[in-house]
Amino acid sequence: TPRKKIKTVLAEDTIGPILINELHETGQDYALVRESPKGAFVGTFHFSQLDLSRTGHIRDVMDDTVYYLHEKDVLSEALHAFFVTNCSLFVVINSFEEYVGIITVESMLRQLLGHIPGDDFDQYSDLSAVAGRHIKAKETIESDDTPVKTDEEVVE
């Protein structure tokens, strides 16, 4: 994602409805955090960490680890960096150490596959939900009364 499309915020910005609305309007999932308007990045944060009841400052919810990739790194280098760091967002820089954008695992998958595989399921920490997910899928397939064509006949 190019620099001009990325929202940057200050670590001391107050979390509230105005900031949340500004972040929502960007359409991005992440923001970069600076200590001062032209300063270095001191963190990142995912917009999902914000809601209307959240108070405090960006510093309270940000991830204070920042990882970088070079704009000339190839896909295999980016994937290796994601694997080694287990971080889903990298700040992309050029040879002059200037920030030129960001890259996320999600954006790479969308670029490679055209979409993120799977449905909207996000309850991977819930044992029952994971187990039940496949039971529901199987029941849907078994209850579907659409004829299935085999090599020899149509089975009802």
Side-chain angles (χ1 to χ4, degrees):
T1 306
R3 175 183 182 157
K4 64 184 176 185
K5 291 187 177 184
I6 301 300
K7 176 75 173 169
T8 60
V9 294
L10 299 178
E12 290 305 316
D13 282 351
T14 301
I15 299 170
I18 294 171
L19 178 63
I20 292 171
N21 185 55
E22 286 176 6
L23 297 174
H24 176 71
E25 287 178 352
T26 68
Q28 299 294 315
D29 293 330
Y30 292 91
L32 299 177
V33 183
R34 295 179 188 257
E35 197 65 50
S36 64
K38 297 290 183 183
F41 295 113
V42 296
T44 62
F45 81 97
H46 195 279
F47 295 164
S48 66
Q49 296 171 301
L50 300 178
D51 60 42
L52 293 177
S53 64
R54 177 68 90 168
T55 60
H57 296 95
I58 294 294
R59 179 179 308 286
D60 302 332
V61 296
M62 74 179 199
D63 179 353
D64 62 359
T65 304
V66 180
Y67 292 105
Y68 300 91
L69 283 171
H70 193 279
E71 66 182 346
K72 292 189 179 182
D73 285 342
V74 295
L75 180 60
S76 62
E77 292 167 322
L79 290 171
H80 177 75
F82 285 117
F83 176 75
V84 169
T85 64
N86 199 30
C87 179
S88 60
L89 177 136
F90 283 78
V91 175
V92 180
I93 61 166
N94 62 21
S95 296
F96 301 104
E97 299 180 11
E98 297 167 331
Y99 151 63
V100 296
I102 66 167
I103 187 168
T104 65
V105 170
E106 184 177 324
S107 65
M108 282 200 321
L109 289 174
R110 276 202 170 97
Q111 190 70 28
L112 289 170
L113 304 174
H115 69 288
I116 300 297
D119 54 18
D120 292 331
F121 184 81
D122 63 355
Q123 300 173 15
Y124 294 101
S125 64
D126 184 337
L127 176 70
S128 297
V130 171
R133 178 173 157 213
H134 292 282
I135 291 170
K136 290 175 189 170
K138 183 178 178 184
E139 289 171 356
T140 300
I141 291 169
E142 289 174 356
S143 70
D144 185 5
D145 57 2
T146 305
V148 177
K149 183 172 180 163
T150 64
D151 289 339
E152 299 174 17
E153 63 181 328
V154 174
V155 178
E156 298 282 337

